[in-house]
Amino acid sequence: MRILQIMAGAKHGGAETYFMDLVTALHRHGIDQHIITRHFPHRQAHLEEHDIKHSFCPFGSMFDFKTSRLIQKTIQTYKPDIVQTWMGRASSYINDKKGFKHIGWFGGYYDLKRFRDCDAYVGVTYDIANDINRRGAPKDKCHTIHTFADLDLNVKPLSRADYDTPEDAVLFCALARLHRKKGLDTLLQAFQNVPDAYLWIAGDGEDKDILHAIMKNLGLQDRVRFLGWQDDRAAVLNASDICVFPSRYEPFGTVMVEAWATKTPIIAARAAGPKAYMTH
């Protein structure tokens, strides 16, 4: 079986992390894959390290003809049995299905217009799969496959000393893209009411400067550490006492599963994913 995986996502993010986890897991089990994605050095290094076939293209504006040509050429030469497109932008490039099955992957509640006549639609939660059906896809084509935690559970915890954090302090962590929908501003506000505890925020994103400013305005710089994006999430979780998941909007949330896998207690906002899968 040959699978062409197409991902037009950002440099970092939950869907992008799961994409690489799934591609790597399938590779470990001997599945023949070709990956088409945007070029980021860390992604290239990972694909090359695991000897996974790949191509890069920009997934740019309406005048980006390179991406469409590369995808069509790869389909013609690689001859995949399955083409799986991750989210709407990647899916919009599949116009003519000849000799393969097309799977559209949904990490949220997307408009079906960019998913042209898929053979199967995969949502990361039961509610997303039901929503795909409500939007017009046949029920027998709508499926649920949850994300999973692909972690080395025996990894050494991240050093607290490296981040000027006392060994005996209660340590909270949040793993998220630095974006308003992740609710990290709410977390910082709430953290004023947790004296003596420390907080690690592991992630990167467009709201980095905003969150740093909130931290300073609240006088939390002595107890809050921004770690940047961490590929080894288990090392962060194993060093922490409690994981916090404060998203305003979260269809599912792989961080939730990763906290369960490492047996790290988790506090979550009542977003759709945690509300459906966690017990209060």
Short mmCIF file of all heavy atoms in Angstrom, two decimals, residues 3 6 20 23 29 46 63 90 123 133 140 146 148 158 173 184 206 217 221 228 232 235 240 268 274 280:
data_model
loop_
_atom_site.label_atom_id
_atom_site.label_comp_id
_atom_site.label_asym_id
_atom_site.label_seq_id
_atom_site.Cartn_x
_atom_site.Cartn_y
_atom_site.Cartn_z
N ILE A 3 0.75 5.45 0.45
CA ILE A 3 -0.07 6.56 0.94
C ILE A 3 0.65 7.88 0.67
O ILE A 3 1.81 8.05 1.08
CB ILE A 3 -0.36 6.44 2.45
CG1 ILE A 3 -1.04 5.10 2.76
CG2 ILE A 3 -1.23 7.60 2.92
CD1 ILE A 3 -1.28 4.88 4.24
N ILE A 6 -0.60 14.78 2.49
CA ILE A 6 -0.43 16.18 2.11
C ILE A 6 -0.85 17.08 3.27
O ILE A 6 -2.01 17.04 3.70
CB ILE A 6 -1.24 16.53 0.85
CG1 ILE A 6 -0.91 15.55 -0.29
CG2 ILE A 6 -0.97 17.97 0.41
CD1 ILE A 6 -1.75 15.76 -1.55
N MET A 20 3.02 14.54 12.11
CA MET A 20 4.34 13.92 12.12
C MET A 20 4.36 12.65 12.96
O MET A 20 5.03 11.67 12.62
CB MET A 20 5.39 14.92 12.64
CG MET A 20 5.64 16.09 11.69
SD MET A 20 6.09 15.59 10.01
CE MET A 20 7.63 14.73 10.31
N VAL A 23 2.62 9.94 10.71
CA VAL A 23 3.49 9.56 9.60
C VAL A 23 4.64 8.67 10.10
O VAL A 23 4.96 7.64 9.50
CB VAL A 23 4.05 10.82 8.92
CG1 VAL A 23 5.24 10.50 8.03
CG2 VAL A 23 2.95 11.50 8.10
N HIS A 29 5.82 0.87 10.97
CA HIS A 29 5.10 -0.36 10.67
C HIS A 29 5.21 -0.74 9.19
O HIS A 29 4.44 -1.58 8.69
CB HIS A 29 3.63 -0.23 11.09
CG HIS A 29 3.44 -0.32 12.57
ND1 HIS A 29 3.69 0.74 13.42
CD2 HIS A 29 3.05 -1.35 13.36
CE1 HIS A 29 3.43 0.37 14.66
NE2 HIS A 29 3.06 -0.90 14.65
N HIS A 46 13.54 15.68 10.49
CA HIS A 46 12.84 14.49 10.99
C HIS A 46 12.56 13.50 9.85
O HIS A 46 12.78 12.30 10.00
CB HIS A 46 11.53 14.91 11.65
CG HIS A 46 10.77 13.78 12.26
ND1 HIS A 46 10.92 13.39 13.58
CD2 HIS A 46 9.86 12.92 11.73
CE1 HIS A 46 10.14 12.36 13.83
NE2 HIS A 46 9.48 12.06 12.72
N PHE A 63 -2.02 32.45 -6.97
CA PHE A 63 -1.05 32.50 -8.06
C PHE A 63 0.11 31.52 -7.86
O PHE A 63 1.10 31.56 -8.58
CB PHE A 63 -0.51 33.93 -8.23
CG PHE A 63 -1.60 34.93 -8.54
CD1 PHE A 63 -2.02 35.83 -7.58
CD2 PHE A 63 -2.21 34.92 -9.78
CE1 PHE A 63 -3.02 36.74 -7.86
CE2 PHE A 63 -3.21 35.83 -10.08
CZ PHE A 63 -3.63 36.75 -9.12
N ALA A 90 -4.94 21.83 2.04
CA ALA A 90 -4.37 20.70 1.32
C ALA A 90 -5.43 19.98 0.49
O ALA A 90 -5.18 19.56 -0.64
CB ALA A 90 -3.71 19.72 2.29
N GLY A 123 -12.72 12.55 11.24
CA GLY A 123 -12.71 13.58 12.27
C GLY A 123 -12.04 13.06 13.52
O GLY A 123 -12.11 11.86 13.81
N ASN A 133 -21.19 14.85 8.69
CA ASN A 133 -22.42 14.26 8.16
C ASN A 133 -23.54 15.30 8.08
O ASN A 133 -24.25 15.40 7.08
CB ASN A 133 -22.84 13.08 9.05
CG ASN A 133 -24.19 12.50 8.68
OD1 ASN A 133 -25.06 12.37 9.53
ND2 ASN A 133 -24.39 12.18 7.42
N ASP A 140 -22.04 6.97 6.06
CA ASP A 140 -21.15 5.81 6.00
C ASP A 140 -19.73 6.19 5.56
O ASP A 140 -18.83 5.36 5.58
CB ASP A 140 -21.72 4.73 5.10
CG ASP A 140 -21.87 5.17 3.64
OD1 ASP A 140 -21.70 6.38 3.36
OD2 ASP A 140 -22.14 4.31 2.79
N HIS A 146 -9.27 9.15 16.78
CA HIS A 146 -8.69 10.10 17.73
C HIS A 146 -7.18 10.24 17.50
O HIS A 146 -6.52 9.32 17.00
CB HIS A 146 -8.93 9.63 19.17
CG HIS A 146 -10.38 9.53 19.54
ND1 HIS A 146 -11.02 8.33 19.72
CD2 HIS A 146 -11.31 10.49 19.73
CE1 HIS A 146 -12.28 8.54 20.03
NE2 HIS A 146 -12.49 9.84 20.04
N PHE A 148 -3.32 10.51 19.11
CA PHE A 148 -2.73 9.65 20.14
C PHE A 148 -1.44 10.27 20.63
O PHE A 148 -0.89 11.20 20.03
CB PHE A 148 -2.47 8.25 19.59
CG PHE A 148 -1.61 8.21 18.35
CD1 PHE A 148 -0.22 8.27 18.44
CD2 PHE A 148 -2.17 8.13 17.10
CE1 PHE A 148 0.58 8.25 17.31
CE2 PHE A 148 -1.39 8.11 15.95
CZ PHE A 148 0.00 8.16 16.06
N LEU A 158 12.75 17.20 31.84
CA LEU A 158 13.47 18.43 31.56
C LEU A 158 14.03 18.98 32.86
O LEU A 158 13.35 18.94 33.91
CB LEU A 158 12.52 19.43 30.91
CG LEU A 158 13.09 20.40 29.88
CD1 LEU A 158 13.70 19.66 28.71
CD2 LEU A 158 11.98 21.33 29.39
N CYS A 173 2.50 23.20 33.93
CA CYS A 173 2.98 23.38 32.57
C CYS A 173 1.80 23.50 31.62
O CYS A 173 0.71 22.98 31.87
CB CYS A 173 3.88 22.23 32.13
SG CYS A 173 3.02 20.67 31.77
N LEU A 184 -4.01 31.18 26.96
CA LEU A 184 -2.86 31.34 27.84
C LEU A 184 -2.89 32.67 28.59
O LEU A 184 -2.32 32.78 29.69
CB LEU A 184 -1.56 31.21 27.04
CG LEU A 184 -1.36 29.83 26.40
CD1 LEU A 184 -0.19 29.86 25.42
CD2 LEU A 184 -1.14 28.76 27.45
N GLU A 206 2.29 33.49 17.31
CA GLU A 206 2.16 34.91 17.02
C GLU A 206 1.89 35.79 18.24
O GLU A 206 2.11 37.00 18.19
CB GLU A 206 1.06 35.12 15.97
CG GLU A 206 -0.27 34.48 16.30
CD GLU A 206 -0.43 33.07 15.74
OE1 GLU A 206 0.44 32.22 15.98
OE2 GLU A 206 -1.43 32.84 15.05
N ASN A 217 3.18 42.69 33.17
CA ASN A 217 2.19 43.58 33.77
C ASN A 217 1.60 42.99 35.05
O ASN A 217 1.22 43.73 35.97
CB ASN A 217 1.07 43.87 32.77
CG ASN A 217 1.53 44.78 31.63
OD1 ASN A 217 2.50 45.52 31.79
ND2 ASN A 217 0.83 44.74 30.51
N GLN A 221 6.97 37.52 36.28
CA GLN A 221 8.21 37.09 35.61
C GLN A 221 9.13 36.27 36.50
O GLN A 221 9.98 35.52 35.99
CB GLN A 221 8.97 38.29 35.04
CG GLN A 221 9.30 39.38 36.02
CD GLN A 221 8.26 40.48 36.03
OE1 GLN A 221 7.06 40.21 36.06
NE2 GLN A 221 8.73 41.72 36.02
N GLY A 228 9.77 28.08 24.82
CA GLY A 228 9.81 27.89 23.38
C GLY A 228 9.17 26.56 23.02
O GLY A 228 8.72 25.80 23.89
N ASP A 232 9.96 17.35 22.57
CA ASP A 232 9.85 16.23 23.51
C ASP A 232 8.89 16.62 24.63
O ASP A 232 9.28 17.08 25.70
CB ASP A 232 11.23 15.89 24.09
CG ASP A 232 11.26 14.50 24.71
OD1 ASP A 232 10.18 13.98 25.04
OD2 ASP A 232 12.36 13.93 24.86
N ALA A 235 9.21 15.01 28.19
CA ALA A 235 10.23 15.56 29.10
C ALA A 235 9.67 16.73 29.90
O ALA A 235 9.99 16.90 31.08
CB ALA A 235 11.45 16.01 28.30
N SER A 240 6.85 18.12 35.41
CA SER A 240 5.79 18.97 35.97
C SER A 240 4.90 18.20 36.93
O SER A 240 4.79 16.98 36.86
CB SER A 240 4.94 19.54 34.82
OG SER A 240 5.74 20.20 33.88
N ALA A 268 -8.34 21.39 32.81
CA ALA A 268 -8.70 21.88 31.48
C ALA A 268 -9.89 22.81 31.55
O ALA A 268 -10.77 22.66 32.40
CB ALA A 268 -9.02 20.71 30.56
N PRO A 274 -12.06 18.60 25.77
CA PRO A 274 -11.98 18.18 27.17
C PRO A 274 -13.36 17.88 27.78
O PRO A 274 -13.51 16.92 28.53
CB PRO A 274 -11.32 19.38 27.86
CG PRO A 274 -10.51 20.02 26.78
CD PRO A 274 -11.32 19.84 25.52
N HIS A 280 -15.28 15.62 35.09
CA HIS A 280 -15.04 16.73 36.01
C HIS A 280 -14.76 16.17 37.40
O HIS A 280 -15.51 15.32 37.87
CB HIS A 280 -16.26 17.65 36.03
CG HIS A 280 -16.13 18.81 36.96
ND1 HIS A 280 -15.03 19.62 37.00
CD2 HIS A 280 -16.97 19.25 37.93
CE1 HIS A 280 -15.19 20.56 37.92
NE2 HIS A 280 -16.35 20.34 38.50
#
